[in-house]
Amino acid sequence: MSAIRSYFKQIINTIHWDDTIAFDNHPFAYRVIDDLYKLKIKISVISYSTDIIRYVSKNTDFNIIIPNGVVDSANHNIIGPDVTQTFAKYQIQYYFATASHMTEDKLFQDNQTIADMQLTLNERAEQILLMNRPEIISSELQHNYNEIGCF
């Protein structure tokens, strides 16, 4: 775990004032947000997660980019076609992502709605950083999932 922590600490040290950072909802995202706030690096946060948006608004003075869409309160997400249109307007320096599945070189999501948003964030980001360890799937099963990016 300390190697992962060290790696993300290095990443945090490359983040600059006014960078736009995208976050999926994951416990590690909150740690990154807290560390950036403690370092007084004011960023803009973009996310489809209402939990991330709520946390950032309560615990930081960061700018928050809230996408147009509909709140899916059961899953704590903002969804809809306008979400990806909002994301497509921004140049994102880092995307702290999660994926449910992976092969050797590709990341996959089992939820099509989330996958569409993640794919757009991935396309707009200069660098994608995976916060979780996805389940490995064989290349024969790829057609059952939605690709969200490559390593």
Side-chain angles (χ1 to χ4, degrees), residues 56-126:
V56 170
S57 70
K58 284 184 174 183
N59 298 291
T60 75
D61 62 351
F62 296 162
N63 297 319
I64 303 170
I65 301 165
I66 301 174
N68 295 327
V70 176
V71 173
D72 174 2
S73 57
N75 294 307
H76 303 253
N77 294 318
I78 301 172
I79 59 172
D82 290 341
V83 175
T84 55
Q85 290 173 5
T86 301
F87 291 162
K89 295 177 185 177
Y90 292 91
Q91 182 59 44
I92 299 166
Q93 282 69 43
Y94 292 97
Y95 173 30
F96 289 87
T98 60
S100 55
H101 300 85
M102 65 184 259
T103 59
E104 270 185 34
D105 60 346
K106 293 181 183 175
L107 300 172
F108 294 89
Q109 177 61 252
D110 49 15
N111 181 314
Q112 178 68 52
T113 302
I114 301 298
D116 291 342
M117 293 184 291
Q118 289 181 309
L119 185 59
T120 302
L121 288 169
N122 187 22
E123 289 169 352
R124 299 300 302 158
E126 293 173 15

Side-chain angles (χ1 to χ4, degrees), residues 5-100:
R5 213 176 283 142
S6 175
Y7 173 72
F8 276 100
K9 192 176 259 189
Q10 289 175 357
I11 296 298
I12 287 169
N13 289 330
T14 67
I15 294 174
H16 299 97
W17 183 277
D18 229 16
D19 279 353
T20 301
I21 314 295
F23 291 98
D24 286 350
N25 190 13
H26 186 274
F28 204 78
Y30 299 94
R31 175 66 187 262
V32 171
I33 291 165
D34 288 344
D35 287 352
L36 289 169
Y37 183 68
K38 287 175 191 169
L39 291 170
K40 299 185 186 317
I41 301 173
K42 189 165 182 175
I43 61 170
S44 295
V45 172
I46 191 166
S47 184
Y48 58 85
S49 166
T50 57
D51 292 335
I52 291 288
I53 292 167
R54 182 178 58 231
Y55 186 82
V56 170
S57 70
K58 284 184 174 183
N59 298 291
T60 75
D61 62 351
F62 296 162
N63 297 319
I64 303 170
I65 301 165
I66 301 174
N68 295 327
V70 176
V71 173
D72 174 2
S73 57
N75 294 307
H76 303 253
N77 294 318
I78 301 172
I79 59 172
D82 290 341
V83 175
T84 55
Q85 290 173 5
T86 301
F87 291 162
K89 295 177 185 177
Y90 292 91
Q91 182 59 44
I92 299 166
Q93 282 69 43
Y94 292 97
Y95 173 30
F96 289 87
T98 60
S100 55

